[in-house]
Amino acid sequence: MSDLENENSPKPKLREWDSRPTKIREKSKLSKFAEYSMPIYALISLSVFFIPIKVLDKSEACASFVKFMKGIFPNIEAFEAISAMPQVTAFYVSFMWIWVIVCSALMIYLSFYNMPNIYDLKVFPKGIPAIIFTFFLGYLGTTYYYLGEMATGEISFGLKSFNLYFASKIKMYFWITFFSLWFIAGCGVGSWGLIFTICGFKNLKKY
């Protein structure tokens, strides 16, 4: 077969996963802020070092705020029970919940804002295990911190088990920041499970 025949012979058609043109979206002010939300969160977490030891005794407003937050978030009392500075811990966890929720909402927003062009992908049925796994990770990440389970039992990272105890503000800062990030990450991962579920149902009629 000549080179000319090779050039004119029909070539196999590749499947087009997304036939629609890709639209480059300009970043909104909210998306730009969301990208910097985690460094901002880390800086706000440093506020624990400026909280007075007897903050709830000194401020009735702070005491009322903590009482209100305890009625919503059970991990506040769980952390308070394992702290050498219970008033600091109760106020700190209550205060940081505001920023945890803000950052979680921003992570969910970024997930949908930066959602790739996957509308033409066949998500079901092969993608069902991945979807279930993302929801499972999201559930673990959010409930573990929300319920304060790390404060009510032993913690193990595969090396040695230990019980959590806040003997200093440094330990309080590290562990609460560390575990609260699990909640934020859980919201982000769970939102991707939701995205693939929506796209899966949307594309069922195509296949």
Side-chain angles (χ1 to χ4, degrees):
M1 185 178 291
S2 63
D3 294 338
L4 182 60
E5 290 176 342
N6 286 333
E7 292 179 359
N8 294 330
S9 59
K11 297 181 180 180
K13 187 177 181 181
L14 299 177
R15 180 177 181 180
E16 296 181 359
W17 290 100
D18 193 346
S19 57
R20 297 174 303 174
T22 302
K23 182 180 180 181
I24 301 176
R25 184 186 301 180
E26 294 184 2
K27 292 183 178 180
S28 64
K29 291 182 179 180
L30 183 57
S31 65
K32 291 179 180 178
F33 175 74
E35 292 176 354
Y36 292 100
S37 61
M38 298 315 300
I40 295 174
Y41 177 78
L43 289 175
I44 294 175
S45 297
L46 295 172
S47 61
V48 66
F49 298 104
F50 304 96
I51 300 175
I53 299 297
K54 299 293 184 181
V55 59
L56 303 185
D57 291 339
K58 293 181 178 180
S59 174
E60 184 178 347
C62 291
S64 299
F65 170 69
V66 170
K67 183 179 179 180
F68 170 77
M69 296 297 281
K70 281 183 177 180
I72 304 175
F73 304 105
N75 69 332
I76 298 175
E77 289 189 356
F79 286 137
E80 184 182 21
I82 60 166
S83 176
M85 297 165 285
Q87 292 192 26
V88 175
T89 302
F91 180 76
Y92 180 58
V93 178
S94 300
F95 173 72
M96 289 309 300
W97 258 119
I98 298 173
W99 303 105
V100 169
I101 293 172
V102 169
C103 289
S104 298
L106 289 173
M107 290 301 103
I108 295 172
Y109 168 78
L110 276 181
S111 297
F112 283 88
Y113 185 84
N114 295 323
M115 184 171 59
N117 294 326
I118 56 177
Y119 294 101
D120 292 336
L121 291 177
K122 185 178 180 181
V123 180
F124 297 149
K126 293 182 179 180
I128 291 179
I131 293 174
I132 294 175
F133 186 64
T134 56
F135 277 125
F136 179 69
L137 287 180
Y139 172 79
L140 286 182
T142 53
T143 58
Y144 191 60
Y145 181 71
Y146 173 78
L147 297 175
E149 294 180 0
M150 68 288 294
T152 58
E154 288 188 342
I155 299 175
S156 177
F157 293 105
L159 299 175
K160 184 179 179 181
S161 298
F162 63 95
N163 293 101
L164 196 63
Y165 182 71
F166 301 143
S168 64
K169 288 186 176 181
I170 294 177
K171 288 186 176 181
M172 195 184 308
Y173 165 77
F174 175 80
W175 287 114
I176 291 177
T177 302
F178 175 73
F179 285 117
S180 62
L181 290 176
W182 288 26
F183 185 94
I184 298 172
C187 290
V189 172
S191 64
W192 274 102
L194 181 59
I195 288 172
F196 281 103
T197 301
I198 293 173
C199 292
F201 280 111
K202 185 180 179 67
N203 297 328
L204 275 176
K205 59 183 180 181
K206 298 181 180 180
Y207 298 93

